[in-house]
Amino acid sequence: MKKNILSFTIIVLMVGSILTSCGTAVKKDVASAKENAKATHNDLNQARKDSQIELSTTMKSDWDKFKVDSQVALDNSKIEIEKLRGEIASANETRQQELNKELDKLEQNRNNLKKRLKQKNNSLEKSLTKINEADNILRKDFQKQFVSDMNELQTALKDFFSKNAI
């Protein structure tokens, strides 16, 4: 009986020491996992910030290039309109009025495009610090529509006299 009690006591002590040592290891593993989770969280936050900065920088440079190209196209269309006005001066008076009316419509279209570009530029400059993917999509949609409208204007200016022969 004493042998059984002694064996039982030894077994209990061994199991107790094993469980105690395992508990310490588990606590160390949990602490290590928490540190890893914090580090990963910090890395993700930094990556998100870096991505936001990169998107903002890319979007700003793309927009600046688009804005400059659009402004050049608008300036060229203004020169073309002035050139057409000079050519209209050689037509008879009634024809001049008709042609000037048509050209005024094209010039109004050009002015509307210029105004839209300015408004979009102002709104983008205000929101450039908080850019997200949705803003990027809206900007690209605006650019597509603007380019399409600008192409229509340029085509109309090039075809002005073929459609309205003097």
Side-chain angles (χ1 to χ4, degrees), residues 15-33:
V15 170
S17 67
I18 291 172
L19 289 177
T20 304
S21 66
C22 288
T24 307
V26 169
K27 287 179 185 176
K28 286 180 184 176
D29 288 345
V30 169
S32 175

Side-chain angles (χ1 to χ4, degrees), residues 5 12 35 39 59 70 74 78 80 84 88 96 103 106-107 117-118 130 132 134 141 149 151 161:
I5 293 177
V12 169
E35 288 176 24
M59 193 169 152
S70 298
L74 287 169
K78 182 176 183 174
E80 187 69 24
L84 289 172
I88 289 174
Q96 277 183 359
L103 198 54
L106 293 176
E107 189 170 24
L117 181 65
K118 185 177 180 179
K130 301 178 195 171
N132 59 34
D141 286 345
D149 292 347
N151 288 339
F161 278 118

Side-chain angles (χ1 to χ4, degrees), residues 1-158:
M1 182 80 161
K2 285 184 179 183
K3 231 180 186 180
N4 284 342
I5 293 177
L6 184 61
S7 326
F8 181 70
T9 306
I10 291 174
I11 291 174
V12 169
L13 287 174
M14 287 176 62
V15 170
S17 67
I18 291 172
L19 289 177
T20 304
S21 66
C22 288
T24 307
V26 169
K27 287 179 185 176
K28 286 180 184 176
D29 288 345
V30 169
S32 175
K34 283 182 181 179
E35 288 176 24
N36 289 342
K38 284 181 184 177
T40 303
H41 181 69
N42 289 340
D43 289 346
L44 286 174
N45 279 341
Q46 187 60 42
R48 183 183 52 80
K49 288 176 186 174
D50 292 346
S51 172
Q52 183 74 19
I53 290 169
E54 183 179 334
L55 177 64
S56 177
T57 303
T58 302
M59 193 169 152
K60 182 165 177 30
S61 66
D62 288 350
W63 175 254
D64 288 343
K65 183 180 180 326
F66 174 78
K67 185 175 70 170
V68 167
D69 292 346
S70 298
Q71 194 59 47
V72 167
L74 287 169
D75 291 344
N76 288 341
S77 66
K78 182 176 183 174
I79 292 169
E80 187 69 24
I81 288 171
E82 290 171 358
K83 182 178 158 187
L84 289 172
R85 287 211 189 274
E87 292 176 18
I88 289 174
S90 65
N92 65 36
E93 195 171 314
T94 17
R95 188 70 179 140
Q96 277 183 359
Q97 289 176 350
E98 292 172 12
L99 292 173
N100 277 328
K101 213 180 260 190
E102 288 290 320
L103 198 54
D104 287 344
K105 289 178 186 176
L106 293 176
E107 189 170 24
Q108 183 61 39
N109 187 5
R110 179 200 167 275
N111 291 338
N112 289 339
L113 286 171
K114 188 173 182 176
K115 187 188 304 184
R116 281 178 42 207
L117 181 65
K118 185 177 180 179
Q119 288 172 344
K120 189 65 170 180
N121 185 54
N122 289 340
S123 70
L124 275 177
E125 285 183 1
K126 289 177 185 175
S127 68
L128 209 51
T129 56
K130 301 178 195 171
I131 291 180
N132 59 34
E133 197 58 38
D135 292 336
N136 198 20
I137 291 169
L138 290 174
R139 179 187 53 85
K140 286 182 180 182
D141 286 345
F142 171 81
Q143 286 177 336
K144 274 187 203 175
Q145 184 62 40
F146 188 87
V147 167
S148 173
D149 292 347
M150 193 69 215
N151 288 339
E152 285 180 25
L153 174 64
Q154 289 173 341
T155 302
L157 288 172
K158 285 179 185 173

